[in-house]
Amino acid sequence: MKCLAIDDEPLALAQISDYISRVPFLSLVKSCQDAFEAMKVLAEEEVDLIFVDIHMPDLNGLDFVRSLISPPLVIFTTAYSEYAVDGFKLDAVDYLLKPFEFQDLLKAADKARKQFEYRLLEQQGELGNVSQIKGDSLFVKSDYKVIRIDVNNIRYIEGMSEYVRIFVEGEERAVITLASLQKMEERLPTHFMRVHRSYIVNLRKITEISRLRIIFDKNTYIPVSDNYKDKFTEYIGKLSRLS
């Protein structure tokens, strides 16, 4: 990622530049001592991330970012905590309070990297609003990351308005992603079945059924609603005849 460091204090600028040089995925385009110098660089160079101080003469960091039509990712660096809210209103990736250590900058830079990769995938059209399935892998967007899930390890999926929760065998937490249950149903293989307006289950993971409730464990009961009862009982009937 190409980045700029902007700070009117020479020592602070030198330190930030040194930290940036130690991050493998960052490339420092230039160190600037004021916002106007940075504007000239942005007019000539493609920059992915800026580290910018807030208290600077003539044009402060907040107004500088506001002035940019299509700003790159931003990490604010400042000694003044009272501007944190204003910083995050500008969609800053992070807000580093001086004095900070290399590990602090590295952590913020890693957050920026994840957002940068997420943007790239969107621009390349590799991600839409609906999750992608390739072979036995389901690729979903979650927390600015692209997560690969083995479809065969999914136990069930729960719909929550515009989001779904994907429950994977062996994982304590569900993966939450922006998608509709209907779109998920359309893309999943045939061994997944909608059994309720809020649930899709992996038929291969069912081990017990009681009174039209699918039991995955002692704490997980998935109801089969009237609208999906006939299709589900037909499937169970076929299995009974086979056995």
Side-chain angles (χ1 to χ4, degrees):
M1 294 174 63
K2 295 181 179 179
C3 61
L4 281 184
I6 312 165
D7 200 307
D8 64 311
E9 298 177 10
L11 290 178
L13 187 60
Q15 183 184 57
I16 293 170
S17 300
D18 175 61
Y19 285 170
I20 291 171
S21 71
R22 293 158 59 184
V23 180
F25 54 85
L26 293 183
S27 173
L28 183 62
V29 174
K30 192 170 183 180
S31 299
C32 304
Q33 287 194 283
D34 60 61
F36 297 105
E37 184 183 2
M39 284 180 176
K40 291 179 182 178
V41 176
L42 290 172
E44 299 171 355
E45 296 270 358
E46 185 176 331
V47 173
D48 307 307
L49 171 66
I50 56 176
F51 293 85
V52 57
D53 187 22
I54 289 181
H55 262 264
M56 295 189 295
D58 299 322
L59 184 65
N60 68 48
L62 293 170
D63 289 335
F64 164 65
V65 174
R66 290 189 188 104
S67 73
L68 301 176
I69 297 173
S70 299
L73 296 169
V74 177
I75 295 174
F76 285 109
T77 61
T78 181
Y80 301 90
S81 60
E82 61 265 31
Y83 295 106
V85 173
D86 291 326
F88 286 116
K89 281 182 180 178
L90 292 172
D91 295 325
V93 174
D94 213 335
Y95 189 98
L96 296 178
L97 194 61
K98 297 176 182 177
F100 53 85
E101 303 296 329
F102 170 69
Q103 290 299 326
D104 300 317
L105 183 137
L106 179 61
K107 185 177 179 181
D110 191 54
K111 288 168 65 176
R113 179 185 59 82
K114 291 173 181 176
Q115 290 195 30
F116 177 69
E117 291 175 350
Y118 179 83
R119 285 184 178 184
L120 278 182
L121 286 169
E122 287 191 317
Q123 290 168 4
Q124 294 167 1
E126 294 184 17
L127 293 175
N129 288 331
V130 182
S131 307
Q132 303 294 316
I133 296 180
K134 298 179 182 179
D136 289 332
S137 297
L138 171 66
F139 294 88
V140 298
K141 298 181 291 184
S142 182
D143 294 330
Y144 300 106
K145 296 179 290 186
V146 180
I147 299 174
R148 186 188 72 80
I149 301 171
D150 188 330
V151 171
N152 297 314
N153 289 337
I154 296 173
R155 300 172 77 196
Y156 65 94
I157 301 171
E158 180 184 7
M160 306 183 301
S161 186
E162 297 178 345
Y163 293 82
V164 296
R165 294 201 298 168
I166 303 170
F167 292 83
V168 182
E169 200 166 53
E171 299 292 336
E172 292 184 4
R173 295 183 179 181
V175 176
I176 300 176
T177 187
L178 178 64
S180 71
L181 206 62
Q182 181 179 342
K183 291 296 183 183
M184 293 292 292
E185 182 182 11
E186 291 171 359
R187 290 173 178 260
L188 287 165
T190 54
H191 59 275
F192 285 83
M193 182 182 290
R194 184 87 168 259
V195 297
H196 188 278
R197 67 186 181 90
S198 299
Y199 293 101
I200 295 172
V201 300
N202 184 346
L203 298 171
R204 295 175 180 173
K205 294 296 181 184
I206 296 175
T207 57
E208 186 177 348
I209 302 165
S210 175
R211 297 178 182 177
L212 284 181
R213 292 188 305 172
I214 299 166
I215 302 171
F216 284 106
D217 54 54
K218 62 181 181 180
N219 297 316
T220 307
Y221 299 84
I222 305 297
V224 179
S225 69
D226 290 340
N227 290 339
Y228 301 92
K229 180 175 65 176
D230 292 344
K231 185 178 178 181
F232 182 71
T233 52
E234 181 183 354
Y235 167 78
I236 298 302
K238 287 180 180 178
L239 288 183
S240 300
R241 289 193 293 273
L242 287 173
S243 61

